[in-house]
Amino acid sequence: MVSFQYRLVALDLDGTLLNSDKKVSENTKNVLMYLQQHHPDVEIVLASGRAPYLVIPTETDCGVDCSLIGYNGGLCLSKKAEGRTTIFEKAIPADRLIDIYKYVEDNNLYLNVYGDGIVYGVKRQIEKANNYSTMTGAKYSFVDSYFELKPELNPMKCLIITESEEECDRLLETLTPIFSDLSLVKSNCFSKTCKQYYVEFLKNGVNKGLSVREFCNLKSIPVEQMVAFGDAENDIDMLKIAGLGICLGNGNDATKAHSDKVSSYTNDQDGVARELVELYNLPKDLIK
């Protein structure tokens, strides 16, 4: 048995594990590799709003083998050593998917629909897709209308792309009563040259927090023995459920308010690595 209080580390990607260049720093890589090599009983989980195939390159850059939670909790995959099998998946009901398509078509909004290894979008407002692809590495397939997409696509997540937080907040307020039977989540993605804000559609009851809790139950790890790191609204449920929820210094005010600790360090200052060194009493010279 691991002797540490925290047997599971849950890590958000954008704005948390990744710096503003969308990279894993050498310090962060060194700390995560040391933690997994010397304390293999500590589970490391990457929990992101991204599709899992867009999380795997970050896992590779970290030099570790992690379980993956993608689509803000819609899909969970096991570690490579465990066969990278699907642990659970939660798709949006098909009838509500049609309602989402109708709303975005009627209101000239841009929607990402996530398929198996690809994102579907429409040919109008294509600069939004280009910016999203640049920041995340997503590969797109474009159609003229969302209604062209096959019913068997069975996506775990869709999201509307907006380019200001004010627009995103207004849209979320409008959509919440219309889609009260789904989970709607606000998220974002920033780079040094672009900012986007998203309203995400998920199956009812899906969020990072509940999915990490389900994963903990399957692994017989009490949630009190989990430490979670995040920076944005879609991380709040995970930070609240964890025994220790840490918001990085660059996080927004709402996320900081729901965390147990606000780090003195940002994602550009190796915040995750520095907090893990302190929590697990790792060698300080891992951080150069």
Side-chain angles (χ1 to χ4, degrees), residues 20-283:
S20 295
D21 291 320
K22 300 298 177 186
K23 303 292 185 183
V24 177
S25 73
E26 282 300 311
N27 286 335
T28 300
K29 178 179 178 179
N30 290 340
V31 168
L32 289 173
M33 288 179 64
Y34 186 96
L35 179 63
Q36 187 160 81
Q37 290 168 5
H38 291 81
H39 307 292
D41 289 337
V42 176
E43 290 276 350
I44 301 174
V45 178
L46 301 185
S48 175
R50 295 186 182 199
Y53 81 93
L54 295 174
V55 178
I56 289 172
T58 296
E59 177 195 33
T60 301
D61 290 344
C62 289
V64 292
D65 186 8
C66 307
S67 296
L68 309 178
I69 292 177
Y71 301 127
N72 273 324
L75 179 64
C76 181
L77 302 178
S78 67
K79 295 187 288 190
K80 288 178 286 187
E82 297 170 350
R84 187 121 291 167
T85 57
T86 298
I87 297 175
F88 55 78
E89 58 183 349
K90 306 170 190 293
I92 299 170
D95 58 333
R96 295 305 269 151
L97 198 58
I98 297 300
D99 295 332
I100 295 170
Y101 293 166
K102 185 176 189 310
Y103 188 91
V104 297
E105 294 273 7
D106 289 348
N107 291 276
N108 195 33
L109 298 168
Y110 199 90
L111 185 75
N112 279 357
V113 183
Y114 293 81
D116 186 13
I118 201 159
V119 181
Y120 293 92
V122 290
K123 296 172 184 176
R124 56 181 168 79
Q125 301 182 45
I126 203 165
E127 70 281 356
K128 292 182 177 178
N130 290 338
N131 288 335
Y132 183 87
S133 179
T134 298
M135 289 192 290
T136 66
K139 294 179 172 56
Y140 272 87
S141 177
F142 295 105
V143 293
D144 291 315
S145 167
Y146 293 105
F147 291 105
E148 295 176 27
L149 298 177
K150 297 178 180 179
E152 58 267 27
L153 185 61
N154 208 31
M156 263 66 78
K157 185 179 89 165
C158 302
L159 67 78
I160 296 173
I161 298 177
T162 71
E163 294 179 329
S164 77
E165 189 166 16
E166 293 76 14
E167 180 188 1
C168 184
D169 289 341
R170 287 195 302 270
L171 191 57
L172 183 61
E173 184 177 2
T174 299
L175 290 171
T176 297
I178 299 173
F179 295 96
S180 59
D181 56 330
L182 299 178
S183 287
L184 271 63
V185 178
K186 177 184 174 183
S187 63
N188 60 58
C189 191
F190 299 163
S191 71
K192 289 184 175 179
T193 59
C194 182
K195 290 184 179 181
Q196 289 186 332
Y197 298 85
Y198 312 121
V199 176
E200 304 195 9
F201 297 87
L202 304 163
K203 184 179 180 180
N204 189 37
V206 172
N207 61 55
K208 284 188 186 182
L210 293 178
S211 292
V212 172
R213 172 184 280 171
E214 184 172 346
F215 180 85
C216 284
N217 289 340
L218 292 170
K219 292 288 185 177
S220 299
I221 298 174
V223 291
E224 294 80 11
Q225 295 180 12
M226 171 176 71
V227 56
F229 293 82
D231 73 298
E233 279 94 338
N234 62 322
D235 300 317
I236 288 175
D237 292 301
M238 180 171 71
L239 297 181
K240 289 168 64 177
I241 281 174
L244 178 62
I246 300 177
C247 180
L248 293 197
N250 55 286
N252 61 41
D253 290 341
T255 309
K256 289 177 179 177
H258 287 92
S259 64
D260 300 303
K261 178 181 180 180
V262 177
S263 177
S264 300
Y265 304 101
T266 70
N267 62 322
D268 287 327
Q269 298 170 318
D270 301 318
V272 167
R274 294 178 187 277
E275 295 291 344
L276 289 175
V277 165
E278 180 180 337
L279 275 175
Y280 290 96
N281 195 27
L282 305 180

